[in-house]
Structure formats: C-alpha cells, structure tokens
Amino acid sequence: MKRYAQVLAVPGVGRTVALGWLVKLPMIATPVVLALQVSVGLGLGLGSAGLVTGAWMIGAMVGSPFLGRAMDRHGLRRVLLLSAAAQGVFWGVAALLPQPALAVGALASGLLLVPGSTVVRLVVSASVPAQHRQTGFALDSVTSQLSYLLGPGIAAVVATQLSPALATRLLGCVLVLATTALALYVPTPPAEEHAKTTAAPSAAGGRTLGLLPVLACTFAAGTVSSGFEISLLGVLRSEGEVAWIGLLIAACGAYAVAGGFLFGMLSFPVPPWAPVLLLGLATGPLAFVSDWRILLVAVLPAAMLSAASFAATATEVGRVSDERTRGRTMGLYGSALAGGNALGAPLAGLGSGWTGQSSAGFLIIGAAAAATALAGRLLRPRPAASPAAAHTAEVPSHAAQEG
C-alpha cells in the first residue's frame, strides 16, 4: 500500500485518476448503449447495431494517434475541451438520429474521443517518479477493470428498464462533464530536465524501435481481453450452462482488479512481453475445461494477468517516450489496444467456427498472444552503449596505463 500512497501523493495524480475513472465509465458503456439504441430504440436488427458500434470503435482506433499528436502540439487541455464539445454535440442528438446518421455520428464521436486512460497515463508518465510509474500504471489498469465491471451493467439497466434514449443522454452528460473537469483540473506536468534539449538521432531511433514490440504486445493483450467473453460463452453454450455467463464475467473482472492491484505492489520492473506471454499460456488450456464450476477457478490466472499485461505495456510505453512525443506514443498505445479489442471477439468466434469446437476460441487467442509476446521478446532492441561508456572502453584509464 505504501507504493500506491506514494503515487497518489504526487500533486494532481489522485484527482486525475478519479476524474479519469468517471470518463472511463460512460466510454466503456458506449457499445452497449449504442447497440440498445439501434436494436430497441429504433427497432432494427443486431446487424444494424453492429454497424453503429463498429463505426464508433473504428473512429476511436483511428483518432487516438492524431489526438495524441494534437496534445503534443497544442496541449492536453485544449484537446480535452474540443473532445468534450464534440461529445456533447453527438450525444445530445444521438437519440433523435436514424441509423445511417447515427453511424456517421458515432464515427465522428470516436475520432474525437479522448479516453480517460490516455489522460491518466500521460499524467503518470510525466509527473510520477520513474521508480513508481509501474504502480501508477497498475492503478490505471485497476480503475479500468472496475469500469468494465460497472459501466456496461448500469447502462444496460437504464436502457432496458427506462429507455435507450435516456441512457444515451445520461451517458453523454457524464462523459461531457467528466471530460470538461479533466480539462480544467488536470495538472500541468513538470518539465523534464532535458525538455529544452534535442534528442540525438540514435536515441530517437531507439525509442521508435522500442515502441513497436510493446505495441504488438498491447495489441495481443487487447485481443485476449475482448475474445475472452466470446470464448466463455462458447464453452457455456456447448455445455448448456449459458445462465452462468454473468457470474463468470463478474468473476473475471474481480480477478483482474486483484491482479492489477498486486502487480502494482511489485518493486522491480517487469518487461511487457513477460505477462503477455503468461497470459497467452494461461488462456489456451481453458479450451479443455468443460464444467463451469472448474472454469470459475481456472480463469483466475489469465484474468489476473490481463490487468498486469496492460500495466506492464503502458509502463514500457511511458519509458520510451519523452515530453515531445508523449501524447503521440500514448495515442499509438490507445490505437493498439483498441485494435486488439476490435479483433479479439471476431477472432475467437471465427476460430470456433473453423474448428467446429465452441471452446476453441481460448486456444486461438491464447496462442496468438503467446506467439506475439515471444516475437516481442526476440525483437526488442538492445540498449545502445552511451558515448561516455564507449569513450571509457576505448581510452584506458590512468591506472591501467600506469599498470
């Protein structure tokens, strides 16, 4: 707990984490609300609902790096205020739009959405001392998992028990107010010692090379995360036990919260490929578990490693970025995560269809994550020797000359 206390003691970090969580809640509930607005509010089929939610996801994936670049150029506050205004316009009229216009609006909303996690990661990366950043990113991962536990469920209750239109308006209100509060109260990160220096080409190249493997690991972790629910459903359907899906999903969320919390207590750095590799290895064998009671316990390692994987990859992205590229790299990180989330469920579903085994989704997404993590381990760049070290190696010391 001392490590978490040290992170939250940094001025502005606790406030940013809390407000970021308020942004995460409606953002994570958005696919459910859009799907219910189309299928229930407009009375259309699930295919039409999928087009609208897919447009929003594509917008979020594509827009993230561009918004990150805008943060580097124009500042975080301005981009957040722009995002709040755009979300206010869309969600204010979403309940009145026909399906084609709703799809276009959802795309635009995704393009101009600044996720709460992106803001938290930027502040942690810039403000928290390096030795505590892993704990800070773990805290972000824990609050994200809590959002997954609460957001979609609350949205579904409001949309089905009251009305989808009311759910869209409430979602928009919370999202706009929380994003505006972040813009007004987000701390100004302290300038780093090398803020006014120009990075050497070799250092910039090292950062770029270091980013590619970790983005691949992030994509893989996102694939497992989104494919997990479909795979769980496949196992339960094959056994005629679909009624237990809610309990299993809730258990996975609770396990993930615990895993992220424990990961943040570690006092040593963890390379991003390690938890992703373990995540893949822990996910694949779940394909051979048929009893939901055993599955309830068997998912524990994979669920705990999911939050740890996101924390480890975010920590590495924060390490390889600097104050000139922080928004851009965190935007790329968000795109990799969103891309993995978009691929995971279809990949798990298609894997089940190809093999004819409803539980094969676990094996497919687990193998993909493990292979990606191994590739990231092999392709990670080796740290280059500093000029001082090179000079020391080339020029003998006085003691050596005297000897």
Side-chain angles (χ1 to χ4, degrees):
M1 294 302 298
K2 181 179 179 181
R3 301 187 69 83
Y4 284 101
Q6 290 170 326
V7 169
L8 293 174
V10 177
V13 170
R15 183 173 62 239
T16 302
V17 170
L19 291 174
W21 182 70
L22 288 178
V23 174
K24 294 175 188 181
L25 275 174
M27 189 199 78
I28 290 172
T30 293
V32 173
V33 171
L34 289 176
L36 289 172
Q37 172 60 22
V38 174
S39 60
V40 178
L42 299 179
L44 301 177
L46 293 179
S48 297
L51 288 175
V52 174
T53 57
W56 179 82
M57 291 179 180
I58 291 172
M61 181 175 62
V62 173
S64 185
F66 293 100
L67 290 174
R69 182 183 292 269
M71 292 175 195
D72 290 332
R73 291 185 176 182
H74 306 293
L76 179 58
R77 285 190 175 90
R78 292 183 180 180
V79 177
L80 283 171
L81 289 173
L82 170 65
S83 178
Q87 302 310 315
V89 171
F90 170 68
W91 290 105
V93 300
L96 307 175
L97 298 176
Q99 190 267 345
L102 187 61
V104 174
L107 176 65
S109 171
L111 285 169
L112 295 173
L113 175 69
V114 178
S117 279
T118 296
V119 181
V120 175
R121 292 172 191 138
L122 284 169
V123 171
V124 168
S125 179
S127 302
V128 175
Q131 66 270 26
H132 299 308
R133 286 178 192 164
Q134 183 168 279
T135 303
F137 288 119
L139 183 61
D140 172 65
S141 182
V142 167
T143 58
S144 295
Q145 296 299 330
L146 288 173
S147 300
Y148 277 106
L149 277 174
L150 298 176
I154 295 173
V157 169
V158 174
T160 56
Q161 301 302 314
L162 298 175
S163 75
L166 178 61
T168 61
R169 294 188 179 99
L170 286 177
L171 185 150
C173 286
V174 175
L175 183 59
V176 170
L177 291 175
T179 303
T180 302
L182 264 180
L184 296 177
Y185 295 109
V186 68
T188 301
E192 296 182 11
E193 294 181 1
H194 58 285
K196 297 183 180 180
T197 64
T198 302
S202 59
R207 293 191 189 97
T208 303
L209 290 174
L211 193 59
L212 294 178
V214 72
L215 289 180
C217 289
T218 303
F219 187 93
T223 300
V224 173
S225 178
S226 64
F228 214 85
E229 292 182 8
I230 295 295
S231 302
L232 280 175
L233 183 59
V235 173
L236 295 178
R237 282 186 62 182
S238 66
E239 299 300 318
E241 300 285 358
V242 177
W244 298 105
I245 184 66
L247 175 62
L248 280 166
I249 291 176
C252 288
Y255 297 155
V257 169
F261 188 77
L262 292 173
F263 182 82
M265 294 182 178
L266 299 179
S267 59
F268 53 87
V270 177
W273 59 267
V276 178
L277 175 61
L278 294 175
L279 173 63
L281 295 177
T283 300
L286 295 176
F288 305 103
V289 180
S290 57
D291 191 312
W292 72 267
R293 299 170 188 84
I294 299 176
L295 196 61
L296 185 63
V297 178
V299 296
L300 174 63
M304 294 185 71
L305 286 163
S306 176
S309 297
F310 294 132
T313 52
T315 302
E316 181 66 9
V317 169
R319 187 189 68 81
V320 301
S321 64
D322 57 29
E323 77 289 341
R324 292 176 298 276
T325 62
R326 189 170 288 121
R328 193 179 318 165
T329 52
M330 288 299 173
L332 289 171
Y333 179 87
S335 286
L337 184 55
N341 285 333
L343 177 65
L347 181 62
L350 288 173
S352 299
W354 289 335
T355 61
Q357 298 293 325
S358 55
S359 61
F362 281 126
L363 197 58
I364 299 295
I365 60 176
T372 303
L374 284 175
R377 166 69 174 81
L378 295 174
L379 296 176
R380 78 192 193 288
R382 296 180 179 179
S386 65
H391 180 74
T392 302
E394 293 174 1
V395 180
S397 65
H398 292 296
Q401 290 175 0
E402 290 173 0

